[in-house]
């Protein structure tokens, strides 16, 4: 976070992309997009385009790491070289390794891993185009991919980032707000169980702002939860049979 | 692909029996491609991009163009580098990790087709000889694997390059300045990759993954607009008769013409 | 840490039973830290250094300051890079090797606290914009592990930076010359990391390794001198209620104030 | 392949090194040069100096990769740092990894791997000095090393590159022709079974030229096959007992 | 070793740090400094600050490398990034890999590894601050850490480097003498068994100087042995109970 | 080398029994070398090269000389870098992979002998101080292993350097130009490595692989033309008496003289 260089909210409370402080960017989710995967979802949120795919429960490799009382949950968050302004080296960066860990830990509370002892469940999050909030978008898509794979779940997991821009706590930062704002708090939770599963933060928040941010994150997340549920309904009850995957190409906006 | 011996034998028999009648399990003739879809401009942050769907194989290519430093032995040429990653999500048997020999072969063969056809005039991608050139990275993510990655990847790379817009850079003293203008790449030709496999002595075009699992050998030949063959690669642990190689060459020219037309239509307008 | 199921269950019961009475196995209350010792100037070849002992957790931080080249996107800022290695000698279950995801998370979270608090004024660590800046490396060796590496590492990094002396560099034509003068770093704030865990629904401060072995989730919040929260990280595969998150925020501010005082005393005089 | 810069064939049809279009460079093969190996061969072809060595059939490592119905064939093609004009980094390059794969696939059709279930057969191709056509020279030497190791074979494998120089299809490019010519087609086949086992290509060939190239490759390869057979005869029937290896040093031309 | 640039011994035979030719730098050893380790020692010798820690005998990983008739001895010598003038990259250098090997081989003759078949004994040598002679200091500390871990030993191992400065053979080079002197011989031995277990050398020594160096190394080593014994006595009989480790922080001189 | 316990015991007894009579399994006395052959100019594309055969151990060294950038702390010295790869083809128990600790030790000890003897006058390998120097890479491929790699590798490196021809580079403005002239390297001395092993208390020269399999410890000492010892390395998990070390020193001087003569003859004429 660097010092703010220009006004990011105008005198009418309107942000650079036309939103008010508590509005989400455009959000579109489609479940079942990777034919070979056991479950998958494509999320387009702002300029984010992210596919999550799940394989498992399946045999654990290497064998000696399998857990006697539950499934081993693995997660890889990865960015395509062309997903960001400057080409990204395809080898996993330290940032990607950290995010892989926090996404895994954000999903795990929702899973009945004890139902699948000695197996592995693998979550892949591939960022095809990156915008602010890619990790919470990744969690949101992953939860759907897990549901699509038929893994037993306590709840879905939804995410939404909250940030601080021009001294105000606002919902769902876009790219410019992320770079020029003064704080960012990625936040995911289980909407029915009311449990926080991911929380990171940078910038400067007073205790009051921090409390506002948690509230706003929950409110925003509930809207995302609505979109999650619609995507699942569309996949399973809206004509399309569960076993037919729509190739991602058909859904991505040109 | 890991194979169960019994399943493989049954599947092989099915495929071979069908081929004996000139048919394939998905109903195609030996020299037919699966449905090919090409969608461009799918990644706004890339200079060019294309999503290619060939049957159930799906790949996404993105082009990033920047200034760069030329290789010492080619100070008068821009950089054009093709990379490919078979994403671990693309099939159940894959694992994350650095590219294995198959992914390296894939990237190198696709690169060869683009390079040897001289599709892009790299001599004109120079800002200041020996100092600054354009660097063109084409990265491909394989999203779903169902056979014939060579062709799907090649079409995605070619379509992404055909629709890419590069910044116009100019020298500004010792450094380089982006003028803000955007130009198409200096394209001269449209190379087309055509991949064939032999199964029990029969040559088939565009093998699916289940066909690849039982094929004896694979051959990929690239042709350019005038029908010249510009790149080739035999793969897999079987062999071809010289006659099969010549048939493969003829097919690559004929099919290449059809597919070039499709690529041009899908990328018309840049 | 590798866990035996039976031992873990017994230990968990012990810990939970104690917590039901508001106590912990080592006698502390839920919101008490273990004994904290900070010793500075322990490595003469480093520009700054600090050994921190938090209970039986022991870490050593060393600062090396040199001239360096700025990142292309921040030509007007010095480099400040935090690295951490959990030495394989630090616990019986560790092995030598490149940093794993936990060590990477540790280094990145500690780095975040220092960076986001704007503890060091990196804008003033510039020798010539775009060409030469100061580079400040803080490397941490974890010598012995007994829980709460995040806080111990953070305190060691902060204390080492507070007592570091940097060479004054000046431009000398195209290169950089060391004047021989030594200056303190341009410090603006003292960030303090406070780590908490939930065990069976109870929030505790400064978990030991045996508490970490049975905890559900972990949360680290950093605060700066004015009591603003400047960095946060939830970890481990459990979850928090929103109320617990707010309690954690309050604790981090209150405890942060106490510990900041300790760090300042230990580093007084530079 | 870059554009051609000078005449590589003169008005009398003579190439830069004095050969006609259908002539091979000088070729010398010796079988049995690495004492410890189960089989080995040194090939000197143009300026190429390449040793192929074979170990096996032997136990497979790691065990879980062994194949129940046949031997696992491994191949490493590697260039010495001093083998080329600019010192080569000793770590395997992407080019070496690709060539290792195509050499392995060029040899496999000739081997009765099914005779050695659960074992490994390892082929090492070490390029001590590199010239045009090193991969086909490597295949040619490897086939001899496999025969020398006593591995059951359907046929030998021989190789010869064909290229395009000054618009003409010619046999066995040398270094300059490889760099300045307009096409190159490495080509290996089984001489008795008449099966193509390696084919790569770059440059620009019309369909007619491509056909010529395949024909010429076969004709050139038959000459190489002659040299292969002589080397085997010399090793096994020409005085030297099969178990005595002549150190490579004695054979390499100073 | 580069050519000598200035006088390192003055007309009175006094070295740059005030020592005579046969004197050691200040030496301080403390046993039992890493709480979790089975055995450990901190050595401060000149500006060296080195911790050695031992784990084992313990289960061998990977299993297939375990030895049926003795323990597998492993050793890692590693330098902290801040231990030297220029920040050191934390990845192990070729120098560190070589020193890890010679330290392991210097310790092994003193150990009854045959008493611990199928196990691993791990020695970690971490250089927190480096000065001349860090490898012999590392061996000296490691021998104590092994004794502290209760590993059966034939003898301790002690080390001392000998060098050549201004044409004279002198004991225990400091940093400047190491850089500007004309020879260095790290040397370790078992003091009671009179066996040399590590010897390396660079520079230029005549046969006579070499003999002097071996003699001087032994004499110096016997003084180090004295310090080793005192440290062990202090640890085990001087009030402190064997199971209480003094944290390294308490001992390191500020 | 992986060892079978039974075979090793039998072999050890054989070797020890022979040594009790002052003999070795191949008929040599304890202080005799195997047959040594040195052949130079075997790789035309290298600036220098040598194939060394010592018994059945065979190694090939090649020298590549180019312009390079000096290390920051030695701006006035050329680069001389020795690398060694034990090719996986060299013995049945080897596997391809990055150099292990033995290969690293081998390269570093051979490098030490060359460097510490000051064989090559690196001060004269400077084109422009601090900017451009000569870089001399000596790479060694071990082709066949039968013991005593240290000496065979050292002789190959020394012979390749003695017969190398370097381009004469001159400054041309800011860059470096090859004049086309070829010169010998600035050689001052000929270091010779002599390796010994103890087996059951007996010191032997030039151990074979089967002797190495049963040896207790190894010592390598390098000497230069005036008989000064310039490098040393004890290896393997055994030990020496101080008397054995002194005997080793005496042998290294005496044998070094003989072998230096052989190397000089084999490289006469450059």
């Amino acid at each position: 976070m660097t010092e703010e260089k220009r006004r990011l909210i105008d005198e009418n409370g309107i942000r650079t992309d036309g939103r008010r402080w508590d509005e989400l960017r455009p959000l579109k989710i489609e479940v079942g997009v990777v034919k070979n995967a056991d479950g998958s979802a494509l999320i387009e949120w702002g300029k984010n385009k992210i596919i999550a795919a799940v394989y498992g429960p399946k045999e654990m490799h290497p064998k000696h790491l399998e857990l006697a009382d539950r499934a081993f949950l693995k997660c890889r968050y990865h960015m395509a070289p062309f997903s960001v302004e400057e080409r990204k080296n395809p080898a996993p960066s330290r940032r990607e390794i950290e995010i892989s860990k926090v996404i895994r830990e954000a999903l795990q509370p929702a899973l009945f891993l004890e139902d699948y002892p000695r197996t592995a469940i693998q979550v892949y999050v591939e960022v095809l185009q990156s915008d602010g909030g890619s990790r919470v978008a990744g969690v949101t898509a992953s939860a759907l991919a897990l549901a699509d794979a038929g893994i037993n779940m306590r709840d879905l997991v939804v995410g939404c980032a909250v940030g601080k821009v021009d001294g105000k706590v606002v919902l769902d930062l876009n790219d410019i707000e992320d770079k020029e704002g003064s704080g960012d708090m990625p936040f995911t939770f289980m909407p029915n169980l009311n449990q926080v599963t991911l929380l990171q933060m940078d910038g400067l928040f007073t205790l009051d702002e921090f409390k506002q941010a948690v509230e706003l994150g929950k409110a925003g997340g509930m809207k995302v939860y609505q979109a999650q549920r619609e995507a699942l309904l569309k996949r399973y009850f809206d004509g399309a049979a569960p076993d037919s995957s729509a190739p991602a190409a058909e859904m991505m906006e040109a | 692909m890991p194979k169960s011996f019994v399943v493989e034998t049954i599947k092989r028999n099915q495929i071979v029996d069908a081929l004996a009648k000139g048919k394939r399990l998905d109903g195609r003739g030996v020299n037919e491609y699966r449905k090919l879809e090409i969608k461009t401009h799918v990644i706004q942050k890339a200079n060019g991009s294309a999503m290619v769907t060939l049957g159930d194989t799906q790949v996404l290519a993105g082009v990033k163009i920047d200034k760069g430093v030329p290789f010492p032995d080619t100070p008068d040429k821009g950089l054009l580098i093709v990379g490919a990653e078979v994403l671990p999500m693309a099939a159940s048997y894959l694992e994350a990790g650095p590219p294995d020999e198959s992914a390296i072969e894939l990237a190198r063969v696709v690169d060869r087709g683009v390079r040897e056809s001289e599709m892009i005039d790299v001599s004109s991608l120079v800002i200041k000889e020996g100092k600054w050139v354009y660097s063109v990275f084409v990265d491909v993510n394989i999203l779903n694997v169902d056979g014939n990655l060579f062709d799907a990847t090649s079409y995605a790379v070619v379509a992404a390059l055909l629709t890419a817009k590069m910044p116009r850079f100019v020298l500004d003293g010792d450094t380089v300045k982006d003028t803000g203008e955007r130009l198409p790449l200096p394209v001269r030709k449209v190379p087309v990759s055509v991949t064939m496999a032999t199964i029990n002595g029969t040559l088939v075009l565009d093998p699916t993954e289940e066909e690849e699992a039982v094929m004896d050998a694979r051959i990929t030949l690239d042709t350019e607009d005038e029908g010249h063959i510009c790149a080739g690669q035999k793969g897999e642990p079987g062999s071809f008769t010289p006659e099969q190689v010549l048939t493969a060459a003829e097919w690559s020219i004929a099919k290449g013409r059809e597919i070039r037309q499709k690529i041009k239509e899908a990328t018309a307008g840049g």
Side-chain angles (χ1 to χ4, degrees), chain A, chain B:
Chain A
M1 291 290 145
T2 61
E3 56 278 35
E4 300 183 28
K5 281 159 193 151
R6 45 175 153 160
R7 292 284 308 265
L8 295 169
I9 304 182
D10 73 12
E11 56 279 18
N12 302 314
I14 303 300
R15 295 153 70 181
T16 54
D17 53 9
R19 286 182 292 151
R20 304 213 156 258
W21 65 281
D22 62 349
E23 276 183 86
L24 295 178
R25 288 170 295 171
L27 173 63
K28 199 175 131 196
I29 312 180
E30 186 95 24
V31 177
V33 298
V34 177
K35 183 89 177 183
N36 289 334
D38 295 315
S40 60
L42 167 68
I43 189 165
E44 299 186 67
W45 185 349
K47 283 182 222 137
N48 285 301
K49 287 180 203 274
I50 299 171
I51 293 181
V54 169
Y55 286 92
K58 57 175 193 169
E59 224 183 318
M60 176 67 194
H61 286 292
K63 202 77 186 163
H64 72 270
L65 290 183
E66 71 178 28
L67 303 171
D69 59 343
R70 62 186 185 281
F72 195 113
L73 181 65
K74 302 192 212 181
C75 180
R76 176 179 116 127
Y77 165 95
H78 187 249
M79 302 179 83
F82 45 75
S83 64
V84 276
E85 288 305 332
E86 297 268 310
R87 176 181 183 268
K88 193 208 153 279
N89 187 305
S93 66
R94 289 164 57 93
R95 178 180 168 277
E96 285 167 295
I97 291 169
E98 185 201 345
I99 295 183
S100 296
K101 181 175 187 290
V102 297
I103 290 182
R104 187 186 70 229
E105 295 170 346
L107 295 167
Q108 189 159 341
L111 301 176
F112 288 104
L113 293 182
E114 55 275 28
D115 292 354
Y116 312 101
R118 299 193 181 283
T119 67
I121 295 172
Q122 175 79 56
V123 178
Y124 294 112
V125 178
E126 190 70 27
V127 180
L128 304 178
Q129 185 161 276
S130 173
D131 202 9
S134 75
R135 76 195 72 185
V136 298
V139 170
T140 300
S142 297
L144 284 172
L146 284 159
D148 187 36
I151 308 290
N152 294 342
M153 295 175 81
R154 289 183 174 78
D155 197 350
L156 284 172
V157 185
V158 292
C160 192
V162 185
K164 223 176 113 183
V165 169
D166 286 1
K168 259 186 85 72
V169 175
V170 302
L171 195 64
D172 188 26
L173 298 188
N174 64 30
D175 228 3
I176 295 166
E177 292 172 336
D178 192 22
K179 284 207 190 70
E180 303 190 6
S182 58
D184 186 25
M185 185 177 96
F187 182 81
T188 78
F189 63 104
M190 294 188 281
N192 297 299
L193 298 176
N194 194 27
Q195 288 279 321
V196 179
T197 68
L198 179 153
L199 186 153
Q200 296 185 289
M201 213 212 82
D202 56 37
L204 282 182
F205 287 76
T206 64
L207 182 60
D208 268 355
E209 288 166 346
F210 185 85
K211 286 180 182 175
Q212 280 175 49
V214 171
E215 279 312 305
L216 188 57
K218 279 183 56 184
M222 291 312 286
K223 296 184 199 169
V224 177
Y225 178 48
Q226 200 53 39
Q228 266 188 337
R229 286 200 301 181
E230 280 162 21
L232 270 184
L233 288 171
K234 187 170 168 216
R235 163 81 163 146
Y236 285 107
F237 300 100
D238 217 35
D243 57 347
S244 79
S245 289
E250 287 179 17
M251 292 164 320
M252 284 178 67
E253 308 246 336
Chain B
M1 195 180 64
K3 301 168 187 174
S4 149
F5 188 71
V6 174
V7 171
E8 195 192 326
T9 305
I10 293 173
K11 185 58 83 176
R12 185 179 177 85
N13 289 345
Q14 264 195 306
I15 293 173
V16 167
D17 289 351
L19 283 178
K21 301 173 200 135
K23 276 288 169 198
R24 298 160 79 175
L25 292 196
D26 57 8
R28 283 185 290 157
V30 292
N31 66 348
E32 283 179 54
Y33 264 72
R34 290 170 291 176
K35 189 178 171 201
L36 169 65
E37 284 184 290
I38 301 170
K39 198 162 179 177
T40 59
H41 302 98
V42 291
I43 300 295
Q44 293 74 34
K45 293 198 179 182
N47 295 82
S49 61
M51 177 83 93
V52 163
T53 315
L54 180 61
D56 284 330
T57 289
Q58 188 165 48
V59 312
L60 173 60
V63 177
K64 296 296 261 188
I65 304 176
D66 205 340
K67 57 183 183 287
V69 176
F71 291 123
D73 53 337
T74 52
D76 55 347
K77 286 187 180 145
L79 306 174
L80 174 61
I81 293 163
V82 175
E85 187 180 13
V86 183
L87 294 182
M89 71 163 58
S92 63
Y93 50 85
L94 296 169
E95 296 276 348
D100 66 3
E101 60 167 29
S102 295
I104 289 171
E105 185 190 25
L106 171 62
R108 285 180 57 84
V109 170
V110 170
D111 183 275
R112 199 174 296 150
V114 170
R115 190 176 304 280
E116 295 297 324
S117 68
E118 303 184 326
M119 175 185 180
I120 305 293
D121 178 14
V122 288
S123 308
S124 69
L125 293 179
V126 177
I127 304 165
K128 180 169 171 58
E129 188 173 320
K131 284 276 191 185
W132 290 109
V133 296
Y134 289 83
S135 88
V136 181
F137 275 95
V138 195
D139 286 285
V140 184
N141 273 9
I142 285 72
L143 300 175
N144 197 69
V145 171
D146 188 21
N148 199 5
L149 296 185
F150 282 72
D151 290 352
T153 301
S154 176
Y155 306 157
V157 166
V158 168
L161 285 170
L162 287 173
T163 53
K165 294 284 173 288
M166 66 182 215
R168 195 164 75 82
F169 289 126
V170 292
L171 264 190
D172 182 18
D174 232 24
T175 61
V176 164
K177 199 177 65 179
D178 184 346
T179 59
E181 266 180 89
R182 293 296 173 267
L183 303 169
L185 280 166
V187 170
R188 301 201 289 207
K189 290 178 177 175
V190 179
V192 178
S193 167
V194 171
T195 293
M196 293 147 281
T198 44
I199 300 172
N200 201 36
T202 304
L203 197 68
V204 303
L205 269 168
D206 180 28
T208 62
E209 185 166 41
E210 64 184 14
E211 288 172 339
E212 289 182 350
V214 304
M215 73 181 163
D216 302 308
R218 189 197 67 225
I219 190 165
T220 299
L221 294 169
D222 286 60
T223 54
E224 38 79 278
D225 303 56
E226 296 166 48
H228 293 179
I229 301 167
C230 60
Q233 181 89 341
K234 177 262 173 185
E236 301 304 309
S239 57
F240 291 94
T241 62
E243 295 68 38
Q244 285 173 328
V245 170
L246 299 186
T247 304
E250 286 161 9
W251 284 13
S252 73
I253 294 169
K255 275 291 154 186
R257 209 173 292 128
E258 288 174 30
I259 293 167
R260 184 171 301 103
Q261 196 48 38
K262 281 201 188 177
I263 293 175
K264 282 186 170 171
E265 283 163 19
T267 59

